[in-house]
Amino acid sequence: SEAASRGARWAAAGGVTDADKDWQLSMLSELDQAMADGSLWVAYQPKLDLASGRITGAEALVRWRHPTRGFVPPDNFIPQIEARGQILELTLHVLRRALDDAAGLAAAGTPINVAVNLSATLLGRAGLTDTILQALADARVAPDRLTLEVTESAAVELKGDIIDALEQLRDAGIRISVDDYGTGQSTMSYLKRFPAQELKIDKSFVQAMLASSSDQILVRSTIDMAHELGLKVVAEGVEDAATLAALSACGCDSIQGYHIGRPMPFDDLAALLRTEDTAERQVA
Ligand code: C2E
Ligand code: MG
Ligand code: MG
Ligand code: MG
């Protein structure tokens, strides 16, 4: 459609065209409505545990199906929402949806861990831990069923209050994951201080590892180092069986990517988990 191609041009231009400066402003006022009417919704992408061959988790990824602009990717509205200080509202919307869905999966006999992306800019906010714990209690989901993915590059300034917030969340039993690992300015001392249980290797390294031996070395040594530090490793952006095999040979714990499943509506994830469960029972 005309609207969709306009949206695509806007996305391709990185959101800087004159005609769309208005939209950058109006987008923020449209956010409440979009959350209320369901045009802002949550997709889930499965995480496959390589040791068991089972889907043990899923990442919640926000989607915006705009009434006139078509699909707007999160990279084209999350930064604006962060800059305007409205990211808490969006995060809590996604978190509550994800926790309700996690409770639904547990009730259906297919429990998994759900991962929600947490903007590092929220980590300094007073009361964040209490708000998240309240959301868990409201949904009757155990804290260890939730992972919070924090992007490394944004959190790289590990000030005392940010570490305190992460430690509070971890001590409450929530899993903390370092997202997009390798793209930021991370140092070893940074990783040592980051109170995480999981490290996600950025897809840029994963997607280069078959063609480039240096990328393969980086991936393998990152996995070894993470294991030495007691972290589980997830590789994101796995698009084919050959990459899965290479990661498995490097000792990677879990993988996520189009090869396993694209981000999908909740009903599709629930069906996938039911099918997996039935298939296993038939084998047993
Ligand atoms: P991310 O957390 O690193 O999520 C992974 C991104 O890689 C997702 O893009 C996902 O759709 C994409 N991806 C997954 N598998 C593959 C693959 O095999 N190949 C390729 N080429 N891509 C793959 P998406 O959904 O566009 O999200 C982009 C980013 O937006 C996310 O990166 C995350 O940082 C942010 N984001 C998404 N939802 C939320 C949210 O609810 N809150 C916050 N704060 N950020 C969010
Ligand atoms: Mg993520
Ligand atoms: Mg990532
Ligand atoms: Mg990312």
Side-chain angles (χ1 to χ4, degrees):
S1 73
E2 221 281 296
S5 74
R6 209 167 355 104
R9 280 201 306 278
W10 180 82
V16 294
T17 62
D18 272 357
D20 289 313
K21 281 191 180 141
D22 293 344
W23 150 241
Q24 297 232 18
L25 294 173
S26 70
M27 155 198 323
L28 297 158
S29 59
E30 289 176 29
L31 192 63
D32 281 336
Q33 179 62 28
M35 289 194 282
D37 69 16
S39 52
L40 201 92
W41 60 282
V42 177
Y44 294 92
Q45 186 175 36
K47 286 181 174 174
L48 182 82
D49 175 67
L50 287 174
S52 65
R54 298 199 58 145
I55 294 163
T56 53
E59 179 176 7
L61 292 160
V62 73
R63 295 287 175 263
W64 195 346
R65 175 73 55 193
H66 192 275
T68 56
R69 294 179 179 277
F71 176 74
V72 186
D75 285 333
N76 287 356
F77 63 89
I78 299 269
Q80 286 85 340
I81 291 172
E82 278 178 352
R84 293 297 176 112
Q86 285 186 307
I87 192 68
L88 182 61
E89 217 184 340
L90 175 86
T91 302
L92 293 178
H93 180 77
V94 173
L95 178 70
R96 292 190 177 117
R97 177 80 263 147
L99 292 177
D100 283 348
D101 288 341
L105 291 174
T110 52
I112 58 162
N113 180 286
V114 291
V116 171
N117 290 284
L118 185 70
S119 167
T121 60
L122 288 178
L123 285 170
R125 297 260 189 125
L128 178 75
T129 307
D130 289 342
T131 305
I132 293 173
L133 291 177
Q134 188 61 53
L136 281 161
D138 291 346
R140 297 169 196 275
V141 172
D144 65 0
R145 291 268 174 228
L146 174 66
T147 298
L148 295 173
E149 297 189 4
V150 183
T151 300
E152 177 221 11
S153 52
V156 85
E157 273 194 76
L158 274 187
K159 298 194 214 95
D161 55 339
I162 290 189
I163 295 181
D164 289 350
L166 287 168
E167 282 177 351
Q168 269 182 33
L169 293 164
R170 182 200 58 188
D171 293 348
I174 295 165
R175 287 176 65 83
I176 306 293
S177 177
V178 185
D179 205 352
D180 299 341
Y181 183 77
T183 57
Q185 306 294 311
S186 62
T187 61
M188 287 191 197
S189 69
Y190 162 89
L191 198 59
K192 199 181 76 180
R193 291 167 67 212
F194 201 104
Q197 289 88 358
E198 180 182 285
L199 182 152
K200 288 186 89 169
I201 301 178
D202 190 71
K203 56 178 173 285
S204 58
F205 301 100
V206 171
Q207 294 181 340
M209 74 182 284
L210 287 187
S212 146
S213 61
S214 58
D215 281 281
Q216 186 146 359
I217 290 165
L218 283 178
V219 168
R220 191 187 305 119
S221 52
T222 299
I223 292 171
D224 290 344
M225 178 194 60
H227 285 164
E228 295 279 355
L229 290 170
L231 302 170
K232 295 283 187 192
V233 181
V234 182
E236 64 174 30
V238 179
E239 293 187 355
D240 52 54
T243 307
L244 186 160
L247 287 160
S248 185
C250 290
C252 191
D253 300 292
S254 304
I255 60 164
Q256 192 181 337
Y258 297 168
H259 181 61
I260 303 305
R262 295 204 172 229
M264 60 185 82
F266 173 71
D267 288 346
D268 292 2
L269 176 72
L272 183 67
L273 293 170
R274 276 199 305 275
T275 310
E276 183 186 54
D277 224 40
T278 309
E280 295 232 337
R281 265 191 252 109
Q282 281 168 354
V283 171

